[in-house]
Amino acid sequence: MTYRVRLAHLYPDQMNIYGDRGNILSLTQRCAWRGIALELLPVGAGADVDWASVDLAFFGGGQDSGQALIADDFVQRQGPLLRTAIDAGLVLLAICGGYQLLGHYFLTHTGERLPGIGALDVHTVGGGTRLIGNIAIEIDASAQLALPTGTRLVGFENHSGRTYLGAGVRPLGRVLAGHGNNGEDGTEGAVYRNTFGCYMHGSLLPKNPQFADYLIGLALARRYGVAATLAPLDDQLEMAAQRGMLERLVRV
Ligand code: GLN
């Protein structure tokens, strides 16, 4: 039997920064290597989307100006059905600017208030300095992900927004090196059901293939109702690069 996955890519033209499209390439290629048929659905401004038919979604980061261009379209056109899909367990990864727009709002450092869809119980406030650099995190036990204890992810962050988590989300991880959600509380990212927001560009998934497979596995489990076993891939180079980065950033 050929497994199928429908992957929606939100605003690929306006929300694609620091190589975020690499996440799409990684998901596409890792599915292709396993004979999983992946259908890519770019979602631009004005698109009507049947979110109930989508298994996996990706929303990349963007400059404040890029976010301002699409925020109203996102909230008004996609918001209601996307929120319903997220509540129903849609697998969604959002990075930085996309993560911010899944929350309640983003108040930019120039005082512009960009609305979010409120799917994640977070809000973001822009600061006068940018939080920039390489980042390493350890997946937090409270995130309740079925990943081995102590799983670490690496990435690159560059944001003025400081994101604060409400009671309705769990942090994705604890910051080992870098700034994370706000540079203050040691958390990075947020998890709600199968939706993951974080500040990790890089691109995230090529650098962290175990997380790419975790998302693909969740999407297959949701569509087919069983935990699909993913054929192992040769990730020696990727994992060596990840280890090298962790050694540079953290004592491992
Ligand atoms: N414009 C947002 C900020 O600066 C998001 C940046 C990004 O996606 N890298 O916080």
Side-chain angles (χ1 to χ4, degrees):
M1 162 180 162
T2 303
Y3 286 126
R4 300 189 171 276
V5 169
R6 197 155 197 240
L7 169 62
H9 185 184
L10 282 154
Y11 306 100
D13 295 334
Q14 297 86 357
M15 300 291 284
N16 171 36
I17 205 168
Y18 309 123
D20 279 343
R21 205 172 76 86
N23 294 303
I24 298 289
L25 299 179
S26 174
L27 293 168
T28 305
Q29 192 55 47
R30 296 182 76 78
C31 283
W33 276 327
R34 296 176 165 118
I36 299 168
L38 183 139
E39 182 199 346
L40 183 59
L41 180 71
V43 178
D48 285 321
V49 181
D50 173 13
W51 282 105
S53 74
V54 173
D55 306 297
L56 188 53
F58 176 71
F59 195 4
Q63 299 184 4
D64 292 8
S65 55
Q67 292 172 274
L69 281 178
I70 55 92
D72 284 338
D73 186 82
F74 178 58
V75 170
Q76 281 156 31
R77 189 172 291 271
Q78 308 303 346
L81 289 183
L82 179 56
R83 250 196 339 255
T84 302
I86 288 171
D87 285 339
L90 171 70
V91 184
L92 167 57
L93 172 65
I95 311 285
C96 201
Y99 169 35
Q100 294 168 350
L101 295 181
L102 289 186
H104 299 298
Y105 62 87
F106 171 30
L107 186 62
T108 73
H109 75 110
T110 57
E112 191 178 2
R113 193 180 198 277
L114 301 180
I117 65 168
L120 291 179
D121 184 15
V122 306
H123 71 276
T124 304
V125 180
T129 55
R130 301 191 68 81
L131 307 179
I132 305 176
N134 289 311
I135 171 168
I137 70 166
E138 184 162 306
I139 298 289
D140 201 69
S142 75
Q144 296 166 18
L145 306 195
L147 281 166
T149 311
T151 296
R152 292 174 171 193
L153 307 179
V154 297
F156 167 78
E157 60 183 326
N158 184 349
H159 49 113
S160 82
R162 275 75 169 156
T163 295
Y164 299 93
L165 309 189
V169 292
R170 307 183 300 276
L172 174 65
R174 297 273 147 202
V175 175
L176 302 172
H179 306 283
N181 279 323
N182 48 53
E184 297 161 26
D185 65 12
T187 67
E188 160 58 358
V191 181
Y192 169 69
R193 297 187 62 93
N194 290 329
T195 291
F196 306 88
C198 69
Y199 274 108
M200 302 175 77
H201 302 282
S203 313
L204 178 69
L205 297 181
K207 282 186 168 177
N208 301 282
Q210 68 275 59
F211 196 53
D213 281 357
Y214 185 67
L215 299 179
I216 295 169
L218 282 180
L220 290 177
R222 183 163 175 268
R223 179 184 266 242
Y224 294 100
V226 285
T229 316
L230 292 179
L233 300 175
D234 179 1
D235 289 326
Q236 286 182 69
L237 284 177
E238 290 85 344
M239 295 313 286
Q242 190 190 77
R243 264 196 313 280
M245 205 59 206
L246 283 166
E247 277 159 19
R248 264 173 60 185
L249 296 175
V250 194
R251 281 179 205 282
V252 284

mmCIF file of all heavy atoms in Angstrom, residues 1-6 27-39 216-217 220 224 228-231:
data_model
loop_
_atom_site.group_PDB
_atom_site.id
_atom_site.type_symbol
_atom_site.label_atom_id
_atom_site.label_comp_id
_atom_site.label_asym_id
_atom_site.label_seq_id
_atom_site.Cartn_x
_atom_site.Cartn_y
_atom_site.Cartn_z
ATOM 1 N N MET A 1 0.842 -1.199 0.000
ATOM 2 C CA MET A 1 0.000 0.000 0.000
ATOM 3 C C MET A 1 0.886 1.262 0.000
ATOM 4 O O MET A 1 1.876 1.336 0.724
ATOM 5 C CB MET A 1 -0.878 -0.037 1.265
ATOM 6 C CG MET A 1 -1.469 1.274 1.650
ATOM 7 S SD MET A 1 -2.462 1.065 3.139
ATOM 8 C CE MET A 1 -2.582 2.732 3.675
ATOM 9 N N THR A 2 0.514 2.226 -0.839
ATOM 10 C CA THR A 2 1.270 3.494 -0.875
ATOM 11 C C THR A 2 0.646 4.481 0.095
ATOM 12 O O THR A 2 -0.537 4.814 -0.029
ATOM 13 C CB THR A 2 1.234 4.102 -2.302
ATOM 14 O OG1 THR A 2 1.753 3.128 -3.197
ATOM 15 C CG2 THR A 2 2.056 5.372 -2.380
ATOM 16 N N TYR A 3 1.432 4.928 1.068
ATOM 17 C CA TYR A 3 0.941 5.972 1.970
ATOM 18 C C TYR A 3 0.921 7.305 1.230
ATOM 19 O O TYR A 3 1.786 7.575 0.391
ATOM 20 C CB TYR A 3 1.862 6.102 3.192
ATOM 21 C CG TYR A 3 1.729 4.991 4.190
ATOM 22 C CD1 TYR A 3 2.847 4.263 4.592
ATOM 23 C CD2 TYR A 3 0.500 4.687 4.766
ATOM 24 C CE1 TYR A 3 2.742 3.251 5.540
ATOM 25 C CE2 TYR A 3 0.385 3.678 5.717
ATOM 26 C CZ TYR A 3 1.502 2.960 6.096
ATOM 27 O OH TYR A 3 1.400 1.972 7.021
ATOM 28 N N ARG A 4 -0.060 8.137 1.570
ATOM 29 C CA ARG A 4 -0.170 9.475 0.967
ATOM 30 C C ARG A 4 -0.167 10.528 2.061
ATOM 31 O O ARG A 4 -0.748 10.317 3.128
ATOM 32 C CB ARG A 4 -1.488 9.605 0.187
ATOM 33 C CG ARG A 4 -1.581 8.608 -0.885
ATOM 34 C CD ARG A 4 -2.737 8.775 -1.859
ATOM 35 N NE ARG A 4 -2.488 7.815 -2.915
ATOM 36 C CZ ARG A 4 -1.694 8.029 -3.943
ATOM 37 N NH1 ARG A 4 -1.111 9.207 -4.091
ATOM 38 N NH2 ARG A 4 -1.469 7.097 -4.830
ATOM 39 N N VAL A 5 0.472 11.647 1.775
ATOM 40 C CA VAL A 5 0.504 12.765 2.718
ATOM 41 C C VAL A 5 0.239 14.043 1.934
ATOM 42 O O VAL A 5 0.838 14.264 0.883
ATOM 43 C CB VAL A 5 1.891 12.873 3.404
ATOM 44 C CG1 VAL A 5 2.010 14.179 4.163
ATOM 45 C CG2 VAL A 5 2.124 11.709 4.345
ATOM 46 N N ARG A 6 -0.680 14.860 2.429
ATOM 47 C CA ARG A 6 -0.953 16.159 1.793
ATOM 48 C C ARG A 6 -0.322 17.244 2.658
ATOM 49 O O ARG A 6 -0.697 17.412 3.825
ATOM 50 C CB ARG A 6 -2.474 16.331 1.707
ATOM 51 C CG ARG A 6 -2.898 17.363 0.756
ATOM 52 C CD ARG A 6 -4.329 17.075 0.260
ATOM 53 N NE ARG A 6 -4.568 17.836 -0.931
ATOM 54 C CZ ARG A 6 -5.538 18.745 -1.032
ATOM 55 N NH1 ARG A 6 -6.371 18.976 -0.039
ATOM 56 N NH2 ARG A 6 -5.675 19.433 -2.156
ATOM 57 N N LEU A 27 10.946 17.334 4.155
ATOM 58 C CA LEU A 27 9.752 16.475 4.268
ATOM 59 C C LEU A 27 9.495 15.756 2.944
ATOM 60 O O LEU A 27 9.207 14.554 2.922
ATOM 61 C CB LEU A 27 8.528 17.319 4.659
ATOM 62 C CG LEU A 27 8.564 17.919 6.064
ATOM 63 C CD1 LEU A 27 7.458 18.963 6.232
ATOM 64 C CD2 LEU A 27 8.436 16.830 7.133
ATOM 65 N N THR A 28 9.618 16.505 1.846
ATOM 66 C CA THR A 28 9.353 15.931 0.517
ATOM 67 C C THR A 28 10.324 14.800 0.232
ATOM 68 O O THR A 28 9.933 13.698 -0.191
ATOM 69 C CB THR A 28 9.499 17.032 -0.563
ATOM 70 O OG1 THR A 28 8.637 18.103 -0.222
ATOM 71 C CG2 THR A 28 9.156 16.510 -1.945
ATOM 72 N N GLN A 29 11.616 15.049 0.467
ATOM 73 C CA GLN A 29 12.633 14.067 0.108
ATOM 74 C C GLN A 29 12.570 12.840 1.023
ATOM 75 O O GLN A 29 12.709 11.705 0.565
ATOM 76 C CB GLN A 29 14.021 14.725 0.167
ATOM 77 C CG GLN A 29 15.112 13.895 -0.465
ATOM 78 C CD GLN A 29 14.793 13.505 -1.913
ATOM 79 O OE1 GLN A 29 14.383 14.350 -2.715
ATOM 80 N NE2 GLN A 29 14.953 12.235 -2.232
ATOM 81 N N ARG A 30 12.324 13.064 2.308
ATOM 82 C CA ARG A 30 12.277 11.921 3.230
ATOM 83 C C ARG A 30 11.066 11.035 2.932
ATOM 84 O O ARG A 30 11.122 9.824 3.126
ATOM 85 C CB ARG A 30 12.298 12.389 4.696
ATOM 86 C CG ARG A 30 13.611 13.103 5.048
ATOM 87 C CD ARG A 30 13.680 13.530 6.497
ATOM 88 N NE ARG A 30 13.955 12.401 7.395
ATOM 89 C CZ ARG A 30 15.159 11.866 7.567
ATOM 90 N NH1 ARG A 30 16.201 12.336 6.903
ATOM 91 N NH2 ARG A 30 15.322 10.856 8.392
ATOM 92 N N CYS A 31 9.983 11.652 2.453
ATOM 93 C CA CYS A 31 8.833 10.838 2.029
ATOM 94 C C CYS A 31 9.181 10.099 0.739
ATOM 95 O O CYS A 31 8.911 8.896 0.609
ATOM 96 C CB CYS A 31 7.600 11.727 1.823
ATOM 97 S SG CYS A 31 6.829 12.191 3.388
ATOM 98 N N ALA A 32 9.791 10.810 -0.227
ATOM 99 C CA ALA A 32 10.109 10.188 -1.532
ATOM 100 C C ALA A 32 11.030 8.985 -1.330
ATOM 101 O O ALA A 32 10.823 7.925 -1.939
ATOM 102 C CB ALA A 32 10.762 11.215 -2.455
ATOM 103 N N TRP A 33 12.029 9.109 -0.474
ATOM 104 C CA TRP A 33 12.972 8.012 -0.244
ATOM 105 C C TRP A 33 12.261 6.756 0.272
ATOM 106 O O TRP A 33 12.756 5.650 0.139
ATOM 107 C CB TRP A 33 14.043 8.448 0.770
ATOM 108 C CG TRP A 33 15.182 9.219 0.148
ATOM 109 C CD1 TRP A 33 15.701 9.060 -1.090
ATOM 110 C CD2 TRP A 33 15.948 10.257 0.780
ATOM 111 N NE1 TRP A 33 16.738 9.946 -1.279
ATOM 112 C CE2 TRP A 33 16.916 10.683 -0.158
ATOM 113 C CE3 TRP A 33 15.905 10.872 2.037
ATOM 114 C CZ2 TRP A 33 17.844 11.687 0.124
ATOM 115 C CZ3 TRP A 33 16.822 11.873 2.319
ATOM 116 C CH2 TRP A 33 17.779 12.274 1.378
ATOM 117 N N ARG A 34 11.101 6.976 0.894
ATOM 118 C CA ARG A 34 10.371 5.837 1.472
ATOM 119 C C ARG A 34 9.177 5.419 0.626
ATOM 120 O O ARG A 34 8.362 4.609 1.073
ATOM 121 C CB ARG A 34 9.889 6.205 2.870
ATOM 122 C CG ARG A 34 11.020 6.461 3.838
ATOM 123 C CD ARG A 34 10.426 6.915 5.136
ATOM 124 N NE ARG A 34 11.377 6.858 6.209
ATOM 125 C CZ ARG A 34 11.791 7.931 6.902
ATOM 126 N NH1 ARG A 34 11.337 9.134 6.618
ATOM 127 N NH2 ARG A 34 12.649 7.780 7.884
ATOM 128 N N GLY A 35 9.032 6.035 -0.539
ATOM 129 C CA GLY A 35 7.888 5.678 -1.382
ATOM 130 C C GLY A 35 6.567 6.207 -0.861
ATOM 131 O O GLY A 35 5.494 5.711 -1.221
ATOM 132 N N ILE A 36 6.599 7.236 0.005
ATOM 133 C CA ILE A 36 5.364 7.871 0.479
ATOM 134 C C ILE A 36 5.006 8.969 -0.517
ATOM 135 O O ILE A 36 5.853 9.815 -0.838
ATOM 136 C CB ILE A 36 5.559 8.481 1.892
ATOM 137 C CG1 ILE A 36 5.931 7.394 2.901
ATOM 138 C CG2 ILE A 36 4.322 9.245 2.331
ATOM 139 C CD1 ILE A 36 6.414 7.905 4.245
ATOM 140 N N ALA A 37 3.782 8.961 -1.025
ATOM 141 C CA ALA A 37 3.376 9.942 -2.038
ATOM 142 C C ALA A 37 2.993 11.242 -1.344
ATOM 143 O O ALA A 37 1.987 11.294 -0.633
ATOM 144 C CB ALA A 37 2.203 9.403 -2.842
ATOM 145 N N LEU A 38 3.813 12.269 -1.529
ATOM 146 C CA LEU A 38 3.540 13.554 -0.879
ATOM 147 C C LEU A 38 3.005 14.536 -1.908
ATOM 148 O O LEU A 38 3.605 14.737 -2.966
ATOM 149 C CB LEU A 38 4.821 14.096 -0.237
ATOM 150 C CG LEU A 38 4.658 15.403 0.530
ATOM 151 C CD1 LEU A 38 5.469 15.375 1.827
ATOM 152 C CD2 LEU A 38 5.067 16.591 -0.320
ATOM 153 N N GLU A 39 1.861 15.109 -1.597
ATOM 154 C CA GLU A 39 1.284 16.135 -2.470
ATOM 155 C C GLU A 39 1.486 17.489 -1.805
ATOM 156 O O GLU A 39 1.077 17.690 -0.655
ATOM 157 C CB GLU A 39 -0.216 15.860 -2.656
ATOM 158 C CG GLU A 39 -0.897 16.837 -3.578
ATOM 159 C CD GLU A 39 -2.421 16.854 -3.400
ATOM 160 O OE1 GLU A 39 -2.953 15.917 -2.755
ATOM 161 O OE2 GLU A 39 -3.052 17.787 -3.891
ATOM 162 N N ILE A 216 6.369 13.430 10.166
ATOM 163 C CA ILE A 216 5.824 12.543 9.122
ATOM 164 C C ILE A 216 5.062 11.390 9.782
ATOM 165 O O ILE A 216 3.954 11.028 9.360
ATOM 166 C CB ILE A 216 6.954 12.004 8.214
ATOM 167 C CG1 ILE A 216 7.599 13.150 7.433
ATOM 168 C CG2 ILE A 216 6.418 10.944 7.250
ATOM 169 C CD1 ILE A 216 8.893 12.768 6.707
ATOM 170 N N GLY A 217 5.644 10.839 10.836
ATOM 171 C CA GLY A 217 4.994 9.734 11.558
ATOM 172 C C GLY A 217 3.647 10.154 12.143
ATOM 173 O O GLY A 217 2.662 9.411 12.049
ATOM 174 N N LEU A 220 1.098 10.444 9.275
ATOM 175 C CA LEU A 220 0.621 9.136 8.802
ATOM 176 C C LEU A 220 -0.311 8.500 9.823
ATOM 177 O O LEU A 220 -1.346 7.914 9.477
ATOM 178 C CB LEU A 220 1.805 8.210 8.523
ATOM 179 C CG LEU A 220 2.666 8.575 7.315
ATOM 180 C CD1 LEU A 220 3.850 7.623 7.202
ATOM 181 C CD2 LEU A 220 1.843 8.537 6.019
ATOM 182 N N TYR A 224 -3.985 7.425 8.755
ATOM 183 C CA TYR A 224 -4.257 5.987 8.614
ATOM 184 C C TYR A 224 -4.666 5.333 9.924
ATOM 185 O O TYR A 224 -4.974 4.146 9.957
ATOM 186 C CB TYR A 224 -3.038 5.284 7.999
ATOM 187 C CG TYR A 224 -2.809 5.751 6.583
ATOM 188 C CD1 TYR A 224 -1.847 6.712 6.299
ATOM 189 C CD2 TYR A 224 -3.597 5.276 5.537
ATOM 190 C CE1 TYR A 224 -1.664 7.176 5.000
ATOM 191 C CE2 TYR A 224 -3.421 5.736 4.245
ATOM 192 C CZ TYR A 224 -2.453 6.683 3.979
ATOM 193 O OH TYR A 224 -2.294 7.139 2.702
ATOM 194 N N ALA A 228 2.468 4.337 11.778
ATOM 195 C CA ALA A 228 3.199 3.748 10.647
ATOM 196 C C ALA A 228 4.679 3.650 11.024
ATOM 197 O O ALA A 228 5.223 4.563 11.631
ATOM 198 C CB ALA A 228 3.033 4.618 9.420
ATOM 199 N N THR A 229 5.298 2.525 10.678
ATOM 200 C CA THR A 229 6.736 2.414 10.937
ATOM 201 C C THR A 229 7.459 3.002 9.737
ATOM 202 O O THR A 229 7.245 2.562 8.606
ATOM 203 C CB THR A 229 7.143 0.936 11.087
ATOM 204 O OG1 THR A 229 6.174 0.311 11.911
ATOM 205 C CG2 THR A 229 8.513 0.809 11.724
ATOM 206 N N LEU A 230 8.284 3.991 9.995
ATOM 207 C CA LEU A 230 9.022 4.619 8.905
ATOM 208 C C LEU A 230 10.297 3.837 8.667
ATOM 209 O O LEU A 230 11.046 3.557 9.610
ATOM 210 C CB LEU A 230 9.375 6.062 9.266
ATOM 211 C CG LEU A 230 8.201 7.034 9.379
ATOM 212 C CD1 LEU A 230 8.699 8.411 9.767
ATOM 213 C CD2 LEU A 230 7.425 7.101 8.077
ATOM 214 N N ALA A 231 10.552 3.515 7.395
ATOM 215 C CA ALA A 231 11.804 2.828 7.061
ATOM 216 C C ALA A 231 12.964 3.732 7.453
ATOM 217 O O ALA A 231 12.929 4.931 7.195
ATOM 218 C CB ALA A 231 11.839 2.542 5.570
#
